[in-house]
Amino acid sequence: MTVGKAAFPVVVSTAQPLIKMNTIPASVAGLWSRGASAFRLFALCFSSLFLLVAFGSSQLHALAFTGAMGFGANATGGTGGTVYTVTNLSDNGTGSFRDAVSAGNRIVQFNVHGYIKLLSAVSCSSNLTILGNTSPGTGIGIEGAEVSFSKHSNIICRYMRFRQGTLGDSGQSAVNIGGGSDMIFDHCSLEFGQWDSFDAVTCSNVTVQNCIIADPINQQFGAHVEGSNFTFIDNLWVSCHNRQPLAKDSDQYIQNVIYNYELGYTVANTGGIFSHDIVNNYFITGPATTTPSDCFFQMNIGQSCYSAGNLLDSNNDGSLNGSSVAPTGVTVLTSPWASTTNSLTTMTAAQAYTYVLSNAGDLPYDQLDQLVISQVQKLGHGTTGTGAGTDGPGTGLYTSQTQTGLSNGGYGTIP
């Protein structure tokens, strides 16, 4: 099922917040306005107390948007703030992306499309909602430098392309949220990160869902995560040397597809003691994979893992035919550590493969994401090259965006 931007109509207004407040039914709320009896008030209080005890207070908060999942699902973003419209593709100045995210309590929308070439890193503020799907055409891409949400909170970021590449500082990442909290990234495409594609050290309550994390360069790392309460769900990880993610955290890792890895889901031996729910993920080897069992790497007895429904396809025969796999050398949990894991698990690993390849990343797909998807679909049976359906350069791990063979210096175009 292909989901386009039109499937998510956006209404931005300071008078009508993006978040739909649907936590209390109208029939219950109406008791107050009609002069409820003491009995009814008692019943309402009792039922509210029951919900708090049974489901936790976070379940009563409004979602960031319909379909938000995991630990970052209650991020408030710029709700109730002002709308800032990006009107040009310039690096800076009035109407630029840099100016739009320089102050908090904003809902950032776009009336332009194409690449924004950054000449230096952008530092974002707290309390932001960034909606790339308001852009006409096929959307917005950020190239050339890091976008940082470091030490900030309450971020909702949807339908954006973050593609750092060799134009930027090699000591930075495509997206950096170090020291941040309460964030959700949905339908974003992260490619060509130099340090990591996604750097998240000392963070909490973060969700990355429906995203593509592919083709990191320099270190060739996918995501560096340290902290607590992360959710990675329904994401596509492609051609990373390692860190898919590096999980120095307690997390949920659900229904991800990981292709052409050298080292997959990783826990550093000195990272500490954490809990991991690893459910219904599909690991698929490619030309860069020398040891298929390294789909789980540096796991150790200090890590408590609930693992179920994970598959590994390791024969590179062009057909999807994986078999069961689970991390070894860990403390095995018989049930998830996170109370929401079972409710978030809605697909088998095989179903997740079909869903993720048509739904992850910014939609509709541009040239670069089309190339990435076509490489995954070869299931390890492609040839070295730059065109659709090839394996990319050598083992399929990139050192520069120029190796894609696409226009615009390898970034491709966003028409």
Side-chain angles (χ1 to χ4, degrees), residues 258-273:
I258 306 92
Y259 174 70
N260 193 34
Y261 60 89
E262 286 191 318
L263 308 168
Y265 187 98
T266 302
V267 178
N269 289 325
T270 58
I273 298 174

Side-chain angles (χ1 to χ4, degrees), residues 127-192:
N127 305 316
L128 287 175
T129 297
I130 302 173
L131 298 171
N133 55 331
T134 58
S135 168
T138 51
I140 289 291
I142 307 290
E143 67 174 66
E146 177 181 275
V147 176
S148 174
F149 300 91
S150 294
K151 299 181 181 180
H152 291 292
S153 61
N154 283 315
I155 302 296
I156 300 170
C157 183
R158 306 187 71 195
Y159 293 96
M160 292 289 293
R161 302 176 176 96
F162 299 101
R163 294 163 174 170
Q164 182 187 17
T166 57
L167 303 179
D169 188 338
S170 61
Q172 295 180 332
S173 303
V175 172
N176 188 345
I177 68 167
S181 64
D182 300 290
M183 301 185 184
I184 184 165
F185 295 84
D186 173 61
H187 283 101
C188 293
S189 297
L190 288 73
E191 286 107 347
F192 309 135

Side-chain angles (χ1 to χ4, degrees), residues 14 16 57 77-78 91 148 171 182 189 213 277 283 294 320 357 359:
T14 55
Q16 291 183 319
S57 60
D91 171 74
S148 174
D182 300 290
S189 297
I213 301 176
D277 289 342
F283 297 87
D294 281 342
L320 190 67
L357 261 65
N359 190 62

Side-chain angles (χ1 to χ4, degrees), residues 70-112:
F71 287 115
N74 299 131
T76 55
T79 301
T82 59
V83 174
Y84 187 113
T85 300
V86 176
T87 59
N88 61 67
L89 302 177
S90 301
D91 171 74
N92 61 74
T94 302
S96 69
F97 174 75
R98 187 186 299 272
D99 192 49
V101 299
S102 64
N105 300 306
R106 285 179 173 175
I107 300 164
V108 178
Q109 61 183 21
F110 301 82
N111 70 1
V112 291

Side-chain angles (χ1 to χ4, degrees), residues 71 173 175-180 195-208 213 221-232 235 237 242-253 265-268 271-272 274-276 303:
F71 287 115
S173 303
V175 172
N176 188 345
I177 68 167
W195 192 252
D196 293 279
S197 289
F198 187 77
D199 201 358
V201 177
T202 318
C203 298
S204 62
N205 297 325
V206 176
T207 292
V208 179
I213 301 176
F221 289 154
H224 181 181
V225 177
E226 296 186 24
S228 61
N229 294 349
F230 276 76
T231 302
F232 289 94
N235 302 300
W237 307 72
N242 194 4
R243 299 185 180 180
Q244 300 174 83
L246 171 61
K248 297 182 181 181
D249 69 319
S250 293
D251 66 1
Q252 299 167 305
Y253 194 68
Y265 187 98
T266 302
V267 178
F274 303 105
S275 299
H276 313 262
Q303 309 306 317

Side-chain angles (χ1 to χ4, degrees), residues 5 9 36 39 43 64 68 70 92 95 198-199 215 227 230 241 253 264 269 278 298 320 325 331-332 337 353 358 379:
K5 295 185 183 182
F39 176 79
N92 61 74
F198 187 77
D199 201 358
D215 300 336
F230 276 76
H241 157 61
Y253 194 68
N269 289 325
I278 308 173
Q298 290 185 338
L320 190 67
V325 68
T331 298
V332 176
W337 74 271
Y353 173 86
S358 63
L379 296 170

